[in-house]
Amino acid sequence: MYGEHVTSVDGPAAQPAPPIPPADPTPASPAAHPHPHPHWPAGAVQVAEPDRFTRFVVGLYDRAPRWAVPLAALGCVGVGVAYALVSDPTRAAPDALPTCLLKLTTGLDCPGCGGTRALWYVLHADLPAAARHHFLFVFALPFLAYLFVAWGAKQAFGWRLPELRISPKMIGGFLVAWLVFSVARNLPWVPFTSLYV
């Protein structure tokens, strides 16, 4: 109406935008600005630069052939197997001190007690003796071995083996069973005393 700038076609003309004040050349204190940088938009996130070691590891991983990581993991498994074979944990003297810190200090079997002996018996194809020392380790071993082989084959050669579907509920159930087993093997009554190693 009166006082408005009207064009002949479509009504009031757009009002000019207010001028943007120039940036203050003097830096203010960090407490004066709620954002990491005074001229960054709200919600902007500053990504920290990786340190030298992280850059080295990432660069090494990028340059390494795709079979290097599975080979390194296989080497770690091989070291564990070699330790079990060389140490022969089944031949410890009856009065030898336990190597498990929990058992040494409390006399109780920890959740992993008997695992090395179970591995030794598995490597010698004596599954009953292995299960006697750590039943849940023997139960989980085929699944862990298959998951490792499937992962390694995919990483190294791009092979896709049939996927082993393990849901979070199954993992939770296994952890609960492991907890129950760990408590039961320390109970001082028959038949739980047969689980003590």
Side-chain angles (χ1 to χ4, degrees):
M1 284 300 192
Y2 296 99
E4 292 180 345
H5 297 287
V6 178
T7 63
S8 59
V9 179
D10 50 12
Q15 297 294 327
I20 298 174
D24 186 8
T26 58
S29 66
H33 298 283
H35 305 298
H37 191 279
H39 304 296
W40 283 7
V45 177
Q46 182 180 8
V47 179
E49 286 291 323
D51 60 90
R52 184 179 300 174
F53 179 73
T54 303
R55 289 196 305 270
F56 169 75
V57 171
V58 170
L60 190 63
Y61 178 80
D62 290 339
R63 290 189 303 271
R66 63 183 187 179
W67 46 263
V69 174
L71 184 63
L74 185 62
C76 293
V77 172
V79 167
V81 168
Y83 171 77
L85 289 174
V86 170
S87 66
D88 189 0
T90 63
R91 298 204 180 275
D95 58 344
L97 291 176
T99 56
C100 171
L101 183 61
L102 180 69
K103 191 163 186 171
L104 180 64
T105 55
T106 66
L108 299 174
D109 283 343
C110 78
C113 274
T116 310
R117 282 167 281 177
L119 177 61
W120 191 91
Y121 283 117
V122 166
L123 294 172
H124 290 82
D126 190 349
L127 292 183
R132 157 70 184 86
H133 283 87
H134 205 299
F135 171 76
L136 287 180
F137 171 78
V138 176
F139 171 78
L141 195 57
F143 299 101
L144 295 174
Y146 182 81
L147 287 171
F148 179 80
V149 168
W151 169 80
K154 181 180 177 184
Q155 291 290 322
F157 308 110
W159 299 343
R160 291 189 177 272
L161 299 178
E163 188 175 340
L164 186 62
R165 298 184 182 276
I166 301 176
S167 68
K169 286 185 179 179
M170 293 173 69
I171 295 174
F174 177 77
L175 292 176
V176 169
W178 196 357
L179 177 63
V180 171
F181 172 74
S182 301
V183 172
R185 70 192 314 199
N186 286 294
L187 296 177
W189 310 293
V190 176
F192 304 112
T193 49
S194 63
L195 300 173
Y196 195 74
V197 294

